Amino acid sequence: MATKLFEKWNTKLLDTILMNGVSHLELADALRLIKAQLNNGVLTVNYDLAKATKESKRQFGRLQADKHSYQGTWGEMRKLNAYENYIDIDIKNAHPTMLLKIAEKHCLGVTSLKNYVQDRESIFTQIGGDRDELKT
């Protein structure tokens, strides 16, 4: 069920970033791997169901890239490198909001979910901890 996609990368920008140094070693290694696999600025990436989804024998779910790609690249790097060819849409609180709309459409009582969608930040504050970890 793999899907092959083609990502356009700005090779001049990649060269500039790598020549000027990248402070995060993992990111630098990932960018070097991506650069080595580019063909005229295009990276061919196979996306397939995530391992956990496959193990559950479901035929739907999140797709994951089989190698370094825009999917796994830091948001800032993706935006910097892809802005000429792509629009990066980031929907705040997307999954809980969509789930709430579906539940409301089917008249399901989901008070806790509604509270979370309407006031996520105060719930994060009550729980404490790392905000980015709480979002996932």
Side-chain angles (χ1 to χ4, degrees):
M1 182 172 171
T3 301
K4 185 182 289 190
L5 298 176
F6 304 93
E7 299 177 351
K8 293 180 182 180
W9 286 74
N10 183 328
T11 54
K12 289 180 184 177
L13 180 63
L14 270 178
D15 288 339
T16 301
I17 291 167
L18 290 169
M19 283 193 308
N20 289 314
V22 178
S23 60
H24 194 278
L25 190 57
E26 264 183 57
L27 177 60
D29 289 344
L31 293 177
R32 281 189 202 91
L33 283 170
I34 288 168
K35 186 174 184 295
Q37 295 175 41
L38 291 176
N39 183 5
N40 292 323
V42 176
L43 181 68
T44 302
V45 184
N46 292 309
Y47 284 83
D48 204 350
L49 290 173
K51 183 180 177 185
T53 303
K54 285 182 180 178
E55 289 172 356
S56 73
K57 297 189 174 35
R58 287 183 293 166
Q59 296 298 309
F60 59 91
R62 183 182 176 119
L63 297 177
Q64 287 187 324
D66 65 346
K67 59 184 168 187
H68 291 292
S69 68
Y70 279 136
Q71 183 184 44
T73 304
W74 291 0
E76 293 80 11
M77 186 61 60
R78 183 175 51 251
K79 288 174 189 169
L80 179 64
N81 204 288
Y83 79 94
E84 293 174 325
N85 299 302
Y86 302 101
I87 298 171
D88 189 12
I89 299 172
D90 185 9
I91 301 171
K92 182 180 176 182
N93 212 13
H95 292 102
T97 301
M98 287 186 273
L99 187 58
L100 177 61
K101 294 298 178 192
I102 292 168
E104 288 175 342
K105 180 180 178 181
H106 295 284
C107 300
L108 301 174
V110 285
T111 305
S112 295
L113 179 59
K114 187 173 187 174
N115 291 340
Y116 176 82
V117 167
Q118 292 177 343
D119 198 13
R120 180 172 77 155
E121 293 305 319
S122 72
I123 291 172
F124 286 172
T125 301
Q126 290 172 18
I127 295 170
D130 182 76
R131 185 181 183 285
D132 288 333
E133 286 183 25
L134 292 171
K135 289 188 337 182
T136 57

